[in-house]
Amino acid sequence: QVQLVESGGGLVQAGGSLRLSCAASGTIFNGYTINWYRQPPGKQRELVASITGRGSTNYADSVKGRFTISRDDAKNTVYLQMNSLKPADTAVYLCNTGHYSYRNYWGRGTQVTVSS
């Protein structure tokens, strides 16, 4: 019943845009913080953006002003709108819940590749 499914990745040229989706089960979604992480090839996973159950947002400095995180509670889905993409944004993007019991659970991720 517990699941996190990322989608929306793809190949895009620098300056382009993508919209990622994170579909989650209600148990780990309703009222909880949802995070977007990314893991570039050969590098450690890093936090990109977070949105609390009340809608407060936080962004990594590297994406501030370019990425927007939002949530649709009726659909148990969190989105990451990514604009002005750069090659440095290339990574596997994963979502994660702040729910105490499932905060170490990860989906398979979605690949974002930005060409120069």
Side-chain angles (χ1 to χ4, degrees):
Q1 191 66 36
V2 175
Q3 62 177 315
L4 289 163
V5 180
E6 304 92 342
S7 63
L11 175 63
V12 65
Q13 289 187 282
S17 298
L18 286 172
R19 182 180 175 89
L20 306 184
S21 297
C22 171
S25 58
T27 301
I28 60 175
F29 185 93
N30 294 339
Y32 295 99
T33 294
I34 301 295
N35 310 293
W36 277 104
Y37 285 79
R38 68 186 181 188
Q39 187 164 17
K43 298 182 179 180
Q44 290 185 277
R45 186 176 297 156
E46 62 179 345
L47 180 63
V48 176
S50 299
I51 185 165
T52 71
R54 298 176 64 185
S56 297
T57 59
N58 189 268
Y59 300 92
D61 288 342
S62 59
V63 307
K64 197 169 298 180
R66 300 187 298 121
F67 291 10
T68 302
I69 189 170
S70 61
R71 66 191 295 154
D72 185 338
D73 291 344
K75 297 181 178 180
N76 288 348
T77 301
V78 168
Y79 303 97
L80 186 67
Q81 178 66 47
M82 307 187 296
N83 298 325
S84 302
L85 283 163
K86 306 174 180 179
D89 297 319
T90 295
V92 174
Y93 284 72
L94 309 101
C95 57
N96 150 272
T97 181
H99 190 297
Y100 180 84
S101 298
Y102 301 101
R103 65 191 186 277
N104 298 127
Y105 182 89
W106 302 93
R108 298 184 68 178
T110 185
Q111 176 70 48
V112 172
T113 302
V114 184
S115 62
S116 301

